[in-house]
Every structure is written in C-alpha cells, then in structure tokens.
Amino acid sequence: MKHFDYIIAGGGCSGRSLAVRMLPYLKASNKQLLLVDKLPKKGNDKTWCFWEEHADVFEPVVYKKWNRLLFSSHFIQQELNIYPYTYKMIRAADFYTYTDEKLSGNPHIITIQGNVERLYTENQQAYAIIDGEVYSSDYTFSSIPRIQNKRPERYQYLLQHFMGWVIETETAIFDTECATLMDFKTPQQTGTSFVYVLPLSPKLALVEYTVFSEQELATEDYTTALKQYIEEQLHCKKYTIKEQEYGVIPMSDHPAQRQQGRIIYLGTAGGFTKGSTGYTFRFIQKHTSAIAEGLTKSGNPIISSVFPNRFKTYDAILLHLLGSRRLSGEEIFSELFEKNKAKQILKFLDNETSLMEEIQIFSTLNKKEFTLALLNRTLKTIA
Ligand SMILES: Cc1cc2nc3c(=O)[nH]c(=O)nc-3n(C[C@H](O)[C@H](O)[C@H](O)COP(=O)(O)OP(=O)(O)OC[C@H]3O[C@@H](n4cnc5c(N)ncnc54)[C@H](O)[C@@H]3O)c2cc1C
C-alpha cells in the first residue's frame, strides 16, 4: 500500500487551490502530497466570477476585472459603486494551466489521473481506493461530489442552472469597464431568473441566463431566453456564438458534513457553496487558505469555521422565501440593491458583515415576509 502524508481527491477548483496554498508548508516540513482527479482537467469547463478587495494567489490568472457593476430589474436600474471591491473573472482553463505549472515537477507533489472509488478512515489514517489500488494518508481532502439523502420536509433544495454564450457582435456595443451583475428583465415564470453580462471587449461578452428553481429547463428554453435578451435588451441582431457554458449549482440549507475522521471535505462537497447565491470561489479560497495556515502553524488542517454560523441561517431564510415564491427574487434583490450600498451588500454576501451591519440591511427589507420565512424555516427544523 502506498502512503502519502496528504491526499487531495478531486483536482478541480478547491483541490488545486489547496495544493497551491500547501506548497510552502510541504517544502518546509518535507511532506508528500498526492493529487488525484479522474479527468485530465484541460480546457475551459467553467468561468469563475467573484469580488475581492485585495489581490490573492490567483491574481496572475484573472482574465478580466470590472470596477463598475450594473443592477437592473423591472423596478430599478442602478450602477453600483463597488469600491473597495473589484469584480473579477477567472477562466478555468487558465487556472488549470497555471496550477499545473506550479505543481508539476515539485518534489513534494505527485499528480495522477484516476477514479477515486472510495474514501474511508480507520485507526487515525485516511484511505483512498483509486482505480482498485489502496492508498493511505494522514489526512485526505476531498472535493468529490457527495450524494445527499434529501430531506425536503426540513430543508430547501433549489438549483441554480444557467447557460451562457460568449458572443461576438458586429458593432462595438459593450462598455468594457462595466459588467451587468443581474438583469431581471427576463421571463420569471419558471423561477427567479436573470442575465449577467460580462464584457471582455467592445465586441465580445459572456452573456449568461441564470434560473433559480427546483428543476432544470429544456435546452431550447435557455437558448430562447438568451436570444430574446440579446435582441431585446442588448439591441443586437447580428452576433456569433464563440463559446457556450452550461452549469448547475445546488442551492440548499441542508447542512454539509465538513469532516469525517481523517477526511476533510472541500469546495461544494464541503458546503462552501453559498446556499442563497451559488457563489463558491471566494469561500473555497478562504477555506483552503485557513487549512494551509493551520498546517503551517500547528500541523492541524481541521478548521472549526470559516464564517459565523448565522450566515447559514440567513441563506436558509432567503432560500425559503425564494422557494415559497411569496416574494420573487426580482423583488428581493431589487429592494436589497435599491436601499443598501453595494459595498455593504457584497460584504454581506461574503459572510463578512458584523451583526450591526446585518441588522441595518434587514431593516431595509420586507420585514413581514422575511419574518414569516424565518418562522417557517424554524418550524421545519424543529418539527
Ligand atoms: C459552470 C459553472 C460555473 C460556475 N461559476 C461560478 C462563479 O462564477 N463563481 C463562483 O463563486 N462559483 C461558481 N461556480 C460554483 C463553484 O465555484 C464551482 O463549481 C467550483 O468548481 C467548485 O469547486 P470544487 O472544487 O468544489 O468542485 P470542482 O471544481 O468540480 O472539482 C471537483 C473535482 O473532482 C473530480 N472528481 C469527481 N469525481 C471524482 C472521482 N470519483 N475520482 C476522482 N476525481 C473526481 C472532478 O473531475 C473535479 O475536477 C460555478 C459552477 C459551475 C458548474
């Protein structure tokens, strides 16, 4: 049986983020890490967007940044001053190439392609069965998707599903300094839906149609909505589709198990997808950076919490409200953006506000509906 000090199962966003962040620690402690993914991880399988105040380790692969954002709905149209934040885009292809360069040839890291069939923990060791072979480690970090036994009587389960096109237009129609964060001028019958537009050049942009609902749509529903938005809202009739992206992100308040003996879960598998928005990238960065810091300081990779638990409750309330459809997502987000500074909203969505700041934000929202959603959620969880 082969032994490594650490195994990272799943070399996607969180697995590679952790591996890169662990490099100084591995060198200083002379430890060995095995990184395994079932796929070769080449090509642009997704695009990550997020906001941050300061440059972090993946700044060299930031593809595009915006200092101005636009929020638009049937109720309001608002340009958002997001200072001190910058909205950033990383293309997965660049992230994989960059992390490959950082990791390959490093004497402390072995990367392999293989299918992780099982993970288990026994006698203070973690075990991974990879393509039929057993590997042991002191700790295994896993981002491999996990099957959850759903409990709809207790928790809310929505999907954030989206299709995006990188389109090239014949004329220059995009303001490259301003990205559209959310535009709700889309059909709302199938659930909360909006489009975001990320201009890459005056003639090139990623236009993404996003829906929060229980079920995915048929392919033609996404394409119809995208065509309609491009024609009616962007006033563009002639364009070429250069790339297409499709994705589904789970949105739920079902608690995620963060650790099982010597197995530590990362990324979406570890519950680092924000239940109410689907944003994950920044939470992955915070978690993996905390693990690397814990290892460096004390050799302990177990992190008690990355943010206060009350944010899980806020996400759950918003999910219950969206699920109940008593208020539409368009109404909720319009009110939020109309009555609060963008900087505060982004800080809140990053789970970084203080209780006082949260009370200030809640005081601007529909108190009756939020209180009902809180009661509904509390009754469900104690039933
Ligand atoms: C299309 C798309 C766009 C997104 N955009 C954003 C965004 O803009 N901003 C944001 O914050 N979040 C976004 N997300 C959500 C989230 O950031 C991503 O899903 C992110 O990749 C999650 O990282 P992860 O490490 O948990 O999972 P992944 O990056 O999916 O990594 C998991 C890895 O495990 C591997 N794997 C699975 N099963 C096995 C197995 N049995 N054996 C070995 N390996 C295995 C997979 O091949 C994969 O590489 C997006 C998600 C999708 C799907």
Side-chain angles (χ1 to χ4, degrees):
M1 186 192 313
K2 288 188 188 139
H3 179 84
F4 287 86
D5 297 294
Y6 305 102
I7 293 176
I8 297 183
C13 182
S14 57
R16 284 163 181 260
S17 297
L18 180 61
V20 167
R21 289 179 188 279
M22 279 176 71
L23 285 175
Y25 164 75
L26 293 172
K27 187 176 174 200
S29 57
N30 197 23
K31 302 239 174 183
Q32 293 293 312
L33 166 74
L34 175 73
L35 174 68
V36 53
D37 199 290
K38 65 177 180 182
L39 300 174
K41 302 309 281 182
K42 307 275 176 218
N44 198 47
D45 57 11
K46 49 181 86 85
T47 310
W48 293 293
C49 285
F50 55 96
W51 53 88
E52 63 186 1
E53 221 177 314
H54 306 289
D56 197 3
V57 288
F58 296 113
E59 188 69 15
V61 280
V62 170
Y63 187 74
K64 179 85 180 91
K65 299 182 201 183
W66 300 269
N67 292 317
R68 285 158 46 221
L69 294 179
L70 194 72
F71 177 90
S72 193
S73 73
H74 293 97
F75 309 113
I76 59 163
Q77 165 119 350
Q78 210 153 293
E79 195 175 299
L80 312 172
N81 171 9
I82 58 168
Y83 181 83
Y85 294 105
T86 305
Y87 200 66
K88 301 182 180 182
M89 175 202 267
I90 290 180
R91 287 165 60 86
D94 298 335
F95 175 86
Y96 300 144
T97 307
Y98 181 73
T99 47
D100 275 347
E101 280 167 15
K102 289 245 163 217
L103 302 176
S104 65
N106 187 300
H108 300 281
I109 300 208
I110 307 256
T111 53
I112 58 166
Q113 192 178 331
N115 183 33
V116 178
E117 292 157 11
R118 195 181 153 212
L119 293 174
Y120 60 99
T121 183
E122 229 172 60
N123 302 330
Q124 306 299 312
Q125 290 279 289
Y127 296 89
I129 304 180
I130 305 169
D131 289 337
E133 216 180 311
V134 184
Y135 294 73
S136 64
S137 67
D138 293 346
Y139 285 99
T140 288
F141 305 96
S142 173
S143 59
I144 292 176
R146 299 168 73 208
I147 297 167
Q148 239 175 8
N149 289 324
K150 287 192 180 171
R151 299 184 61 191
E153 75 293 351
R154 207 173 167 95
Y155 303 114
Q156 198 69 42
Y157 301 90
L158 286 180
L159 298 175
Q160 177 175 151
H161 41 109
F162 43 88
M163 184 179 279
W165 289 342
V166 174
I167 58 163
E168 188 169 42
T169 57
E170 287 193 349
T171 50
I173 61 165
F174 300 112
D175 173 357
T176 53
E177 300 307 310
C178 184
T180 302
L181 182 68
M182 290 176 139
D183 186 347
F184 283 93
K185 288 196 240 71
T186 51
Q188 299 292 319
Q189 299 89 312
T190 46
T192 290
S193 90
F194 57 89
V195 165
Y196 59 85
V197 183
L198 305 173
L200 305 171
S201 83
K203 291 184 182 177
L204 197 71
L206 171 61
V207 184
E208 193 116 9
Y209 173 61
T210 305
V211 185
F212 296 172
S213 68
E214 281 84 7
Q215 281 180 354
E216 295 158 56
L217 305 179
T219 306
E220 57 267 29
D221 294 331
Y222 300 101
T223 55
T224 305
L226 276 167
K227 278 183 196 156
Q228 194 178 335
Y229 184 86
I230 295 166
E231 274 195 39
E232 292 175 12
Q233 302 301 328
L234 300 179
H235 309 291
C236 175
K237 290 213 166 15
K238 290 192 174 159
Y239 58 90
T240 324
I241 301 166
K242 298 298 222 183
E243 284 175 37
Q244 177 168 304
E245 172 182 83
Y246 176 74
V248 181
I249 305 176
M251 297 170 77
S252 178
D253 56 342
H254 191 126
Q257 194 177 15
R258 295 263 157 93
Q259 188 202 341
Q260 213 170 13
R262 292 280 171 144
I263 303 165
I264 297 170
Y265 296 105
L266 306 173
T268 301
F272 289 94
T273 291
K274 189 168 171 69
S276 60
T277 64
Y279 278 106
T280 317
F281 188 85
R282 281 291 300 151
F283 295 107
I284 286 176
Q285 301 315 321
K286 286 183 207 173
H287 183 221
T288 53
S289 134
I291 293 176
E293 200 182 312
L295 284 169
T296 307
K297 280 191 180 151
S298 61
N300 182 7
I302 298 164
I303 306 304
S304 55
S305 72
V306 176
F307 47 79
N309 263 337
R310 62 180 189 278
F311 286 98
K312 288 272 173 202
T313 309
Y314 305 154
D315 287 331
I317 295 171
L318 192 53
L319 276 172
H320 275 75
L321 205 48
L322 289 171
S324 74
R325 300 207 181 182
R326 287 177 61 93
L327 272 186
S328 69
E330 182 177 18
E331 286 170 283
I332 298 168
F333 285 103
S334 296
E335 197 163 46
L336 186 67
F337 279 96
E338 189 180 11
K339 297 182 179 165
N340 295 280
K341 290 204 169 82
K343 172 191 154 189
Q344 282 304 101
I345 300 169
L346 297 187
K347 193 175 174 193
F348 175 60
L349 296 178
D350 258 350
N351 298 356
E352 284 180 353
T353 37
S354 68
L355 195 55
M356 281 312 290
E357 289 172 310
E358 289 143 30
I359 292 170
Q360 172 59 36
I361 290 172
F362 296 143
S363 71
T364 64
L365 302 177
N366 184 321
K367 290 179 200 61
K368 183 180 155 214
E369 291 301 337
F370 273 84
T371 311
L372 271 175
L374 171 64
L375 282 174
N376 181 12
R377 196 255 172 181
T378 312
L379 285 173
K380 268 178 139 182
T381 46
I382 57 172

